[in-house]
Amino acid sequence: RKEVEQDPGPFNVPEGATVAFNCTYSNSASQSFFWYRQDCRKEPKLLMSVYSSGNEDGRFTAQLNRASQYISLLIRDSKLSDSATYLCVVPRWGNTPLVFGKGTRLSVIA
Amino acid sequence: GAVVSQHPSWVICKSGTSVKIECRSLDFQATTMFWYRQFPKQSLMLMATSNEGSKATYEQGVEKDKFLINHASLTLSTLTVTSAHPEDSSFYICSARGRDRYEQYFGPGTRLTVT
């Protein structure tokens, strides 16, 4: 099983839509989880950390299910500027090094 | 704070030559640096982890004699791609982590094209 696996995508959604991305991880001892965003030809940027109780940041909601080793990201009211690749990231030990999933490409269409 | 720079941002070289990429932490001391590689439409793949003053630890399948990593100071790590071939063309991204900090901060990446 790969360390981090994600929905293959791509997701093409209209503006205003709600979209959800899923991710599974193999290391049951992992303690930290993140969602990163990567724009074309740019470095990845931290979107949000994922906490055990779930957390929300504006239109973005992250959920963690430790029993299933599953992480999700929900984007509500999609904007054109949300178009990017979303990367599920789980550190291999403790907090580093970061191991990236393949990413899910999102295109928000006007 | 926590700015990481890379140089060059892009480079084109001929097959068989060597290319050096620099990664610098500008406003913090990077005790650990990571080098990633990303092929088109693929995710970032960790190549190696280096701690200041120590030899780098390479991921399985990454040739340490081909990808030379030096982390001689707390603000600089270099990746040298030796005898580059077209299949080494990729986006190379470094990341740095400071002492007592768990975040990894990413450089802007270096796009290498080997002709």
Side-chain angles (χ1 to χ4, degrees):
Chain A
R1 185 178 180 182
K2 289 186 178 177
E3 289 182 273
V4 184
E5 291 199 76
Q6 286 185 248
D7 280 346
F11 284 62
N12 299 311
V13 303
E15 271 187 292
T18 295
V19 61
F21 304 138
N22 303 317
C23 168
T24 57
Y25 60 94
S26 62
N27 184 0
S28 59
S30 295
Q31 297 295 316
S32 307
F33 311 90
F34 307 94
W35 283 100
Y36 274 69
R37 169 192 169 129
Q38 186 176 27
D39 293 290
C40 191
R41 295 177 172 262
K42 300 282 189 182
E43 76 275 23
K45 296 216 163 126
L46 178 64
L47 178 66
M48 59 195 302
S49 301
V50 185
Y51 301 123
S52 297
S53 53
N55 48 299
E56 190 174 302
D57 183 1
R59 299 181 292 109
F60 299 84
T61 301
Q63 296 280 352
L64 167 65
N65 183 322
R66 284 190 185 275
S68 302
Q69 293 177 214
Y70 170 97
I71 307 160
S72 66
L73 175 68
L74 184 78
I75 304 176
R76 290 182 299 279
D77 189 24
S78 300
K79 311 288 184 194
L80 293 175
S81 57
D82 293 333
S83 297
T85 296
Y86 290 83
L87 302 161
C88 177
V89 183
V90 182
R92 183 174 291 159
W93 309 291
N95 293 304
T96 60
L98 298 180
V99 178
F100 289 78
K102 281 187 109 172
T104 303
R105 173 93 186 121
L106 171 66
S107 292
V108 181
I109 304 160
Chain B
V3 179
V4 177
S5 71
Q6 271 184 252
H7 178 79
S9 54
W10 60 271
V11 57
I12 300 172
C13 70
K14 291 187 177 179
S15 189
T17 61
S18 295
V19 175
K20 181 186 281 189
I21 302 170
E22 293 186 348
C23 176
R24 293 181 186 272
S25 57
L26 300 185
D27 51 3
F28 68 102
Q29 293 186 325
T31 49
T32 307
M33 284 190 171
F34 309 89
W35 286 95
Y36 292 83
R37 177 169 58 180
Q38 185 176 35
F39 293 109
K41 299 189 189 297
Q42 300 290 318
S43 190
L44 281 76
M45 298 300 296
L46 180 65
M47 298 176 68
T49 300
S50 74
N51 292 297
E52 185 263 339
S54 304
K55 285 185 179 179
T57 301
Y58 289 81
E59 293 294 296
Q60 192 171 12
V62 178
E63 300 173 59
K64 62 180 182 181
D65 293 329
K66 180 171 180 64
F67 298 100
L68 303 179
I69 292 172
N70 184 289
H71 189 174
S73 80
L74 285 170
T75 59
L76 173 65
S77 175
T78 60
L79 167 67
T80 301
V81 183
T82 62
S83 187
H85 290 284
E87 57 265 31
D88 297 323
S89 298
S90 188
F91 190 43
Y92 292 85
I93 305 174
C94 75
S95 172
R97 174 178 169 239
R99 187 178 289 117
D100 300 327
R101 303 175 78 161
Y102 73 85
E103 299 95 341
Q104 275 184 230
Y105 299 97
F106 286 85
T110 296
R111 193 159 299 279
L112 169 64
T113 301
V114 184
T115 61

